[in-house]
């Protein structure tokens, strides 16, 4: 998934917030492509969301 796709699925979270989560190691696992763009596997994104739901319960 691209960063814009992630932000759209999160319903309006800003790009800066996403990168801040990464700085704090609180975001989903991501990897960099040779051109510098970030990508997140859909399975990692889903697992991260499930973890947030579990923490909120």
């Amino acid at each position: 998934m691209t960063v814009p796709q992630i932000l759209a699925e999160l319903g309006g979270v800003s790009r800066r917030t996403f990168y801040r989560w990464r700085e704090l190691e609180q975001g989903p696992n991501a990897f960099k492509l040779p051109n510098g763009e970030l990508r997140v596997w859909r399975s990692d994104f889903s697992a991260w969301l499930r973890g947030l739901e579990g923490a909120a319960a």
Side-chain angles (χ1 to χ4, degrees):
M1 298 176 69
T2 64
V3 173
Q5 289 172 326
I6 293 167
L7 299 177
E9 288 212 20
L10 292 174
V13 171
S14 73
R15 182 178 288 268
R16 178 66 195 128
T17 297
F18 175 77
Y19 282 102
R20 180 69 176 153
W21 289 342
R22 285 191 32 82
E23 290 172 14
L24 298 173
E25 298 181 1
Q26 296 176 347
N29 292 331
F31 59 95
K32 259 188 192 180
L33 296 176
N35 65 2
E37 291 184 15
L38 287 178
R39 293 291 190 272
V40 175
W41 293 109
R42 167 126 349 239
S43 58
D44 288 342
F45 179 71
S46 297
W48 176 72
L49 282 178
R50 281 192 303 278
L52 291 177
E53 290 172 353

